[in-house]
Amino acid sequence: MNEHLLERRLDLHGARLFRFSSRGSLDQTLCDDICRELSAAIVERGEASLVLPGGSTPRGVLSLLAISDLDWSRITVVLSDERWVPAEHPDSNERQLRELLLAAGAQQARFLPLKSAVSSAEAGAEVADAELSAMPPFDCVVLGMGNDGHTASLFPDSPQLADGLAASGRRACIAVHTPSSEHARITLTLPRLLNCRQLIVHICGEDKRAVLAEALFANDPPPVAALFGSAHCRRAVYWAA
């Protein structure tokens, strides 16, 4: 499935496709665009908010953001999802974020962790939900996508998927259990993710391009397709082979 078909399908959903010749050029452009979004928000409202994914794909962008000249003291950073593991655990998204961004250049940012000291992911989701539900629309949300079409921790095989995708749902985040992961997780819900000004899906590789293109017209679409339904935010896909 070629990239032009993906571009046409995204266009039908009111989203744009940005193609890059290398992952390095994608990382730099995405970093620049995030900085532009956040800087404009700070000028307009005095503060900004940024949602970032875990996984290996965003590592380059995080490292570039860490050396940007953003006024991090005015920026709130949130993860799109988190495994219910200690912050020092190798599988922790928080650990990666702290190592590559928060401790590397954005020490002044306000970070809202999803993992807390309570006893379970369910209790942790309640704690995080109280704070995230009170936040205004995010300025920029960056998400990844798995080969199964999951985004954040909205997995196709999760019993909690319907709750996470419910357009009328009032929760900002929920606890998730899925056979796809050995750890319980907390994820932001679809309504909370789409309550933003700019949403960016960051993917790399021919396989993920094909997964996304097929998802947009599938009879039984995977969770990532829900990002391109009816929403008022601007949406874009940044892709490099």
Side-chain angles (χ1 to χ4, degrees):
M1 187 171 294
N2 64 45
E3 63 197 67
H4 300 293
L5 178 56
L6 173 58
E7 185 172 19
R8 290 196 296 272
R9 291 187 173 183
L10 286 169
D11 185 63
L12 289 173
H13 290 272
R16 297 185 65 186
L17 172 66
F18 295 96
R19 300 183 297 270
F20 298 89
S21 58
S22 70
R23 300 187 184 191
S25 60
L26 186 161
D27 289 343
Q28 186 62 65
T29 301
L30 179 53
C31 174
D32 293 344
D33 290 350
I34 291 171
C35 289
R36 188 160 35 251
E37 288 286 336
L38 299 182
S39 296
I42 291 170
V43 169
E44 182 178 345
R45 293 181 299 280
E47 61 183 8
S49 55
L50 172 64
V51 176
L52 291 166
S56 60
T57 302
R59 289 180 63 87
V61 176
L62 294 178
S63 297
L64 290 169
L65 285 171
I67 58 174
S68 69
D69 60 358
L70 282 168
D71 184 354
W72 288 104
S73 67
R74 296 177 179 270
I75 298 171
T76 297
V77 178
V78 182
L79 283 162
S80 63
D81 61 317
E82 180 60 281
R83 298 171 182 87
W84 192 253
V85 296
E88 64 274 11
H89 193 283
D91 292 338
S92 169
N93 289 337
E94 178 178 338
R95 175 181 174 174
Q96 174 171 279
L97 191 69
R98 288 191 182 279
E99 290 177 349
L100 296 180
L101 179 65
L102 300 177
Q107 298 95 333
Q108 293 184 313
R110 178 192 180 212
F111 174 55
L112 299 182
L114 297 180
K115 176 67 170 66
S116 55
V118 296
S119 60
S120 67
E122 284 72 19
E126 293 285 348
V127 172
D129 181 73
E131 190 149 25
L132 292 172
S133 294
M135 288 184 67
F138 297 127
D139 290 295
C140 187
V141 173
V142 183
L143 296 171
M145 183 196 73
N147 286 331
D148 60 354
H150 84 265
T151 190
S153 281
L154 300 169
F155 286 87
D157 59 356
S158 170
Q160 293 80 33
L161 180 61
D163 293 335
L165 295 181
S168 59
R170 296 184 178 181
R171 295 291 301 273
C173 61
I174 60 171
V176 168
H177 300 271
T178 169
S180 301
S181 173
E182 63 178 302
H183 304 295
R185 295 176 178 237
I186 291 180
T187 185
L188 272 64
T189 61
L190 178 68
R192 179 66 269 206
L193 291 168
L194 292 179
N195 186 11
C196 68
R197 295 176 175 85
Q198 174 72 63
L199 184 142
I200 295 167
V201 177
H202 175 195
I203 57 174
C204 293
E206 299 287 352
D207 52 346
K208 289 193 177 182
R209 182 185 68 185
V211 168
L212 182 56
E214 292 168 2
L216 295 176
F217 275 75
N219 291 326
D220 184 20
V224 69
L227 299 175
F228 300 95
S230 58
H232 299 295
C233 60
R234 289 173 282 121
R235 287 162 292 181
V237 173
Y238 287 57
W239 170 81

